[in-house]
């Protein structure tokens, strides 16, 4: 049986909706990440035994097994297979889990876990819209609504705020801090996991995008306070466009390998897996899954949150992180130290691998030992991973 380790992890800059990456097809965007990954790792592509790609909206340019198409576009040998999966927002974190499990089982020695989402070119719900503009509920099985109160995630985020007593001011302050931390990390050149991608500006002129496009170096606090609540238009809510994740385009990739095989090939492992967890939770509240997922990951590892040096929890909404924090009481200095999805965006299928790449880079930059990543997932699920820097 193998000992799975992370050898390398990279991501594109995350582009804004309709922004710098708007002209790049998602399969081509993922191909860039795959090529950058093997080049940085120094591994011949023919050594890769499988590619596992996370993608949420598998339709249009993201259909037809986008992982396999990206492998071909990256000029990998045709003998390198690929599969695409959808665990919604946790898709590429799940891809990392599956890659590690394949190595641990002895089925493969070198596997790439990756993810992509061009929310500009393959809009949310394209896969279930049947050619119509829908909210994502119209095509669900009516039987589901007889059994569960299925609601929009934004409304779930509002209910999270109500349950944990989170105020609009707290959500806005958290979001402002996310931008501050992301801006600081970017200006200091800390995001070594990012590789530049040629994009286009508003006029269509090419330029090299080397940082996440959604980061605001200066926050207009008055404007943030004036933003309307999206899911409670009567004004009695918390969730706004300013304290929610940004709709984005991006790709990310992680090389998972058997430690012995990696070292024999002259590769340097960066981190090993301590534990991998996925849980289900209430499909109505749906965004509280990171709470039990974190607890289960810590229990399996025999650790406490105080043992963790770096925490990545996806900022789908500020209320997700704040409710998780009220339950688990972490040291908030360790939580999303380089900012999160409120600032850098959330290209659904790419975010899991992207946060993993950011966490590996962060542990290396700070000399930390243990990292925890967790993500809320639609319809009530969550993933959690604990890694240890080597």
């Amino acid at each position: 049986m193998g000992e799975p380790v992370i050898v390398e992890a990279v991501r594109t800059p995350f582009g804004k909706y309709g922004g710098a990456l708007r002209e790049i097809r998602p399969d081509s965007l993922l191909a860039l990440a795959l090529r950058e990954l093997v080049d940085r790792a120094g591994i011949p592509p023919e050594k890769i035994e499988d590619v596992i790609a996370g993608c949420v909206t598998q339709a249009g340019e993201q259909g037809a097994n986008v992982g396999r198409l990206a492998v071909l576009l990256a000029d990998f040998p045709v003998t390198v297979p690929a599969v695409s999966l959808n665990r919604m927002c946790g898709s590429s974190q799940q891809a990392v889990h599956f890659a590690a499990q394949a190595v641990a089982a002895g089925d493969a020695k070198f596997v790439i876990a990756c993810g992509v989402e061009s929310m500009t070119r393959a809009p949310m719900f394209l896969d279930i819209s049947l050619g119509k503009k829908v909210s994502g509920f119209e095509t669900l099985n009516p039987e589901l609504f007889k059994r569960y109160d299925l609601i929009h995630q934004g409304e779930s985020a509002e209910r999270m705020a109500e349950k944990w007593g989170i105020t609009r001011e707290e959500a806005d302050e958290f979001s402002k801090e996310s931008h501050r931390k992301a801006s600081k990390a970017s200006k200091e050149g800390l995001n070594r996991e990012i590789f530049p991608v040629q994009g286009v500006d508003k006029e269509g002129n090419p330029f090299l995008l080397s940082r996440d496009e959604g980061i605001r170096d200066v926050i207009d606090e008055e404007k943030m306070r004036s933003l309307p609540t999206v899911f409670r238009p009567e004004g009695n809510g918390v969730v706004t466009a300013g304290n929610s994740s940004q709709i984005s385009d991006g790709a990310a990739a992680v090389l998972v390998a058997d430690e012995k095989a990696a070292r024999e090939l002259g590769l340097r492992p960066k981190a090993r897996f301590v534990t991998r967890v996925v849980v289900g939770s209430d499909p109505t509240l749906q965004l509280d899954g990171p709470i039990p997922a974190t607890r289960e990951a810590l229990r399996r590892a025999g650790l406490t949150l105080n043992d963790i040096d770096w925490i990545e929890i996806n900022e789908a909404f500020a209320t997700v992180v704040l409710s998780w924090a009220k339950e688990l009481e972490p040291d908030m200095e360790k939580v999303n130290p380089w900012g999160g999805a409120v600032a850098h965006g959330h290209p659904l299928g790419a975010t899991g691998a992207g946060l993993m790449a950011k966490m590996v880079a962060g542990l290396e930059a700070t000399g930390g030992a243990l990292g925890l990543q967790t993500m809320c997932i639609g319809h009530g699920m969550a993933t959690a991973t604990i890694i240890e820097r080597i």
Side-chain angles (χ1 to χ4, degrees):
M1 297 298 176
E3 173 66 29
V5 294
I6 294 173
V7 173
E8 188 58 84
V10 303
R11 69 181 180 95
T12 68
F14 291 164
K16 294 173 68 173
Y17 177 80
L21 304 182
R22 66 185 181 276
E23 293 188 3
I24 305 178
R25 287 178 56 106
D27 45 10
S28 296
L29 195 60
L30 181 55
L32 293 176
L34 295 178
R35 176 50 62 181
E36 178 70 17
L37 182 73
V38 296
D39 287 350
R40 279 201 194 184
I43 185 173
E46 59 266 23
K47 289 286 186 180
I48 305 302
E49 294 163 87
D50 203 1
V51 173
I52 305 172
C55 182
V56 175
T57 303
Q58 295 188 35
E61 294 178 356
Q62 292 178 172
N65 189 358
V66 68
R68 173 62 174 171
L69 301 180
V71 163
L72 298 176
L73 288 166
D75 290 325
F76 283 16
V78 296
T79 51
V80 178
V83 64
S84 300
L85 67 90
N86 178 8
R87 200 189 283 278
M88 302 183 82
C89 295
S91 292
S92 55
Q93 185 177 9
Q94 185 62 58
V96 174
H97 286 192
F98 282 160
Q101 289 160 4
V103 170
D107 290 343
K109 290 183 171 61
F110 298 99
V111 181
I112 292 177
C114 58
V116 67
E117 206 82 30
S118 175
M119 300 179 78
T120 298
R121 300 179 70 93
M124 281 190 295
F125 311 127
L126 179 64
D127 54 335
I128 59 172
S129 68
L130 304 178
K132 303 174 183 177
K133 187 174 181 179
V134 299
S135 67
F137 291 100
E138 287 89 339
T139 58
L140 293 180
N141 191 324
E143 285 297 317
L144 288 167
F145 296 93
K146 297 177 183 178
R147 304 179 190 187
Y148 304 102
D149 182 18
L150 298 184
I151 56 178
H152 193 287
Q153 283 193 10
E155 173 58 25
S156 293
E158 288 286 8
R159 297 189 189 191
M160 296 276 285
E162 291 171 348
K163 181 172 180 178
W164 276 277
I166 298 164
T167 67
R168 166 75 182 270
E169 290 69 29
E170 287 175 311
D172 284 351
E173 182 61 31
F174 174 86
S175 301
K176 184 179 73 172
E177 184 68 2
S178 181
H179 281 281
R180 185 195 67 78
K181 291 188 292 187
S183 175
K184 182 174 184 292
S186 177
K187 288 178 178 178
E188 293 178 1
L190 298 178
N191 293 104
R192 299 295 298 275
E193 82 280 6
I194 293 178
F195 66 95
V197 173
Q198 183 168 296
V200 292
D201 63 19
K202 292 180 180 179
E203 288 72 39
N205 301 310
F207 78 102
L208 204 60
L209 182 67
S210 58
R211 67 174 238 160
D212 296 314
E213 194 178 11
I215 299 171
R216 294 183 180 274
D217 295 315
V218 178
I219 291 290
D220 185 335
E221 294 187 42
E222 184 177 345
K223 183 177 179 181
M224 177 174 272
R225 286 192 296 269
S226 70
L227 290 172
T229 51
V230 180
F231 304 99
R232 300 282 179 85
E234 61 274 18
N236 63 338
V238 169
V239 179
T240 72
N243 57 43
S244 306
S245 58
Q246 298 184 41
I247 294 174
S248 310
D249 306 330
V254 180
L255 176 58
V256 179
D258 171 69
E259 183 172 15
K260 183 172 182 243
R263 293 190 186 280
E264 287 175 350
L265 204 60
L267 308 180
R268 184 184 72 83
K270 294 188 173 187
R272 63 171 51 90
F273 294 89
V274 178
T275 191
R276 301 173 293 272
V277 168
V278 61
V279 303
S281 63
D282 172 28
T284 302
L285 196 55
Q286 80 178 292
L287 305 176
D288 64 339
I291 296 169
T294 297
R295 286 175 171 153
E296 179 61 13
L298 293 170
R299 185 195 68 79
R300 291 187 192 181
L303 299 168
T304 70
L305 211 52
N306 290 332
D307 297 316
I308 305 298
D309 300 302
W310 188 285
I311 299 168
E312 285 290 336
I313 173 169
N314 190 36
E315 296 173 3
F317 300 92
T319 58
V320 172
V321 183
L322 291 172
S323 58
W324 171 88
K326 288 197 175 188
E327 282 286 326
L328 295 164
E329 299 182 339
D331 177 354
M332 291 301 287
E333 292 296 316
K334 298 179 180 180
V335 177
N336 300 350
W338 292 349
V342 166
H344 60 51
H346 177 23
L348 307 177
T351 303
L355 294 186
M356 182 64 71
K358 180 151 64 94
M359 184 163 69
V360 170
L363 287 172
E364 287 191 316
T366 60
L370 293 167
L372 164 72
Q373 176 187 345
T374 187
M375 304 180 70
C376 60
I377 300 174
H379 301 324
M381 294 183 286
T383 38
T385 318
I386 296 176
I387 62 171
E388 180 181 22
R389 184 176 65 88
I390 298 174

